[in-house]
Amino acid sequence: MKLLITGDKTRFYHLEGFMNALQKNGIKCKLIYDIEYSNKFFDINIKNRLGKQKKLKKLLDEFGPDVVLLDRLSGIATEITKAGIPFFILLRGNIWEELKWAKETIYTSPQKRLSFLKKQRFIKTCFNNASVILPISKYLENVVRKNIPEKNIELFSADGRDPSEWNQVSGMNLKHPCVGLLQGMNIWGKTRELLILTKVMKELPGVTFYFAGDGFYKDKIIPKLKNFKNFVWLGNLEYPIEVKKFLSEIDVYLLLSGMEGLGQTIIEAFLMEKPVIATNIGGIPELIEDGKTGFLIEAGNHDDLIKKINQVFDQPVVASNMGSKGKETMQENFNWDSIAKKLVLILNRNVQ
């Protein structure tokens, strides 16, 4: 069977590992950057659009895929549909909730609202034409079944890693005790949860909070957090080497989020044997066994977060055991070979 995988270049590091595991399991694969063959959503430049269509047709003719896996929604879905090739959509987030927040916070002018409606229609068309939707968590599976119950839906936890690559790396000197956060700031409904740190840092002046990440809403978050002497913003870290150095050095990993499909940084933090504290939201509880591999806190509950951070620092042996148990779980459930085998079963069930 031949599988064409399309996605964003920022995810190629992981998609290449996934592709290699699939090929070891008998699936011939090719990975492409979707924007080089079709614009993400719309393209009013006819010459540019026709050039990309021609390039994609040549690729499809030469490679001859039996099925296409979309790692994200893009205009390539339209061309794949025209070519009569079945495609699967890998769903990493609650796109309906993301659209809701985008409408309320970004697409506010009449012109932007028109763009929003076009994007909304495009996404609906993609889902309608897809052969299978692959949500990466049970949480997302329930969301998809609620919004498009008529579709063929298969749960597929796709956020794999090669455990052998995630080992302690020196090179980043941080002040201890410390808490590390690593996340983007592009969706307000997801990002605003970071603001509870203002109350937490006030109560824990002896703990340094290191935040790595950037995004659309940084100006609404970072200035408020910088008011505290025990806050350090590192900006974006080079992936994966600087991220590994960061996760190696922190004492505990913290993920504060208002919405989360699964939480891939949790997987990486566990592989580095760090205890994890995270918001009890979305797919996060599917990764953390509360009290055993980490702690779950309710959104907005800064008092409980302070309590859990103190608990981690007051009980270092317990915290170390949490990290070790977390690593064991991730090694077993999120290695590429295991994930590739699951996709092979899905392909065999759904591709003639």
Side-chain angles (χ1 to χ4, degrees):
M1 185 180 297
K2 292 183 179 180
L3 172 67
L4 177 65
I5 304 173
T6 77
D8 185 12
K9 272 189 176 177
T10 59
R11 290 199 53 80
F12 270 30
Y13 178 84
H14 298 304
L15 291 174
E16 285 170 354
F18 181 35
M19 182 177 69
N20 291 336
L22 283 168
Q23 293 186 145
K24 289 178 183 178
N25 283 274
I27 305 296
K28 187 174 182 180
C29 302
K30 188 173 184 62
L31 173 62
I32 63 169
Y33 180 28
D34 49 15
I35 297 302
E36 291 182 351
Y37 294 85
S38 177
N39 275 20
K40 189 173 181 182
F41 292 111
F42 317 108
D43 189 357
I44 59 174
N45 186 317
I46 297 177
K47 183 178 179 181
N48 185 52
R49 186 170 70 245
L50 291 175
K52 289 184 176 182
Q53 288 174 348
K54 184 178 180 180
K55 184 178 179 181
L56 178 61
K57 184 179 184 305
K58 184 175 184 292
L59 169 71
L60 296 178
D61 289 343
E62 291 177 352
F63 181 64
D66 299 295
V67 61
V68 179
L69 176 64
L70 273 61
D71 188 60
R72 68 171 179 179
L73 291 174
S74 71
I76 204 167
T78 302
E79 303 307 319
I80 297 298
T81 300
K82 290 178 181 177
I85 302 170
F87 68 89
F88 295 2
I89 295 175
L90 189 57
L91 193 65
R92 298 184 176 278
N94 185 343
I95 195 164
W96 294 275
E97 190 71 11
E98 291 172 5
L99 284 171
K100 171 180 168 289
W101 279 104
K103 183 179 180 180
E104 293 178 7
T105 59
I106 299 174
Y107 296 94
T108 52
S109 68
Q111 185 177 3
K112 288 183 177 180
R113 281 292 172 90
L114 181 61
S115 296
F116 174 81
L117 290 173
K118 289 180 179 179
K119 181 177 180 179
Q120 199 173 37
R121 284 196 295 268
F122 169 77
I123 290 172
K124 184 177 180 180
T125 300
C126 285
F127 282 133
N128 287 340
N129 292 333
S131 300
V132 184
I133 311 296
L134 302 173
I136 66 170
S137 64
K138 292 177 184 177
Y139 154 72
L140 284 176
E141 181 183 14
N142 291 331
V143 170
V144 177
R145 292 193 186 283
K146 177 182 176 181
N147 285 277
I148 42 176
E150 72 281 2
K151 293 302 297 185
N152 185 3
I153 302 162
E154 296 248 18
L155 174 64
F156 178 55
S157 300
D159 275 332
R161 297 293 185 274
D162 181 348
S164 67
E165 294 181 355
W166 290 86
N167 300 306
Q168 299 290 315
V169 181
S170 62
M172 187 174 288
N173 296 316
L174 305 180
K175 182 180 177 181
H176 299 273
C178 67
V179 174
L181 300 94
L182 177 66
Q183 58 194 92
M185 295 177 280
N186 290 312
I187 302 171
W188 184 241
K190 185 175 184 175
T191 302
R192 61 179 181 169
E193 191 64 19
L194 288 166
L195 292 174
I196 72 167
L197 281 177
T198 57
K199 297 178 180 178
V200 175
M201 290 190 291
K202 182 180 180 180
E203 295 298 321
L204 298 174
V207 178
T208 303
F209 291 76
Y210 291 93
F211 180 80
D214 208 334
F216 187 81
Y217 290 106
K218 71 176 180 181
D219 292 336
K220 284 192 173 185
I221 299 292
I222 300 302
K224 293 180 180 179
L225 300 183
K226 277 188 172 182
N227 288 327
F228 296 84
K229 293 181 180 179
N230 55 333
F231 175 78
V232 179
W233 181 43
L234 301 174
N236 271 333
L237 296 180
E238 182 183 352
Y239 193 89
I241 185 60
E242 294 300 320
V243 169
K244 291 178 182 179
K245 290 179 182 178
F246 178 66
L247 293 176
S248 296
E249 186 66 17
I250 61 173
D251 298 313
V252 56
Y253 180 69
L254 174 62
L255 177 60
L256 295 174
S257 180
M259 52 192 291
E260 204 72 38
L262 187 62
Q264 62 176 323
T265 57
I266 293 176
I267 297 172
E268 294 172 350
F270 273 143
L271 286 172
M272 303 299 269
E273 298 188 68
K274 301 298 176 179
V276 175
I277 303 173
T279 313
N280 186 15
I281 201 84
I284 290 176
E286 297 173 41
L287 294 176
I288 298 175
E289 192 173 357
D290 193 27
K292 293 187 177 181
T293 59
F295 291 117
L296 295 169
I297 59 165
E298 297 307 315
N301 193 338
H302 65 277
D303 287 328
D304 192 36
L305 176 54
I306 293 168
K307 178 183 175 182
K308 293 301 190 296
I309 291 173
N310 282 327
Q311 194 169 336
V312 167
F313 290 131
D314 290 342
Q315 301 176 357
V317 175
V318 173
S320 178
N321 288 337
M322 282 183 168
S324 297
K325 290 176 183 176
K327 181 174 183 176
E328 290 174 7
T329 303
M330 297 306 111
Q331 285 177 323
E332 180 179 351
N333 298 323
F334 290 93
N335 66 82
W336 282 127
D337 186 60
S338 173
I339 288 172
K341 284 181 168 63
K342 290 176 184 176
L343 184 63
V344 170
L345 292 175
I346 292 172
L347 291 172
N348 289 337
R349 283 196 297 268
N350 294 280
V351 181
Q352 301 299 320

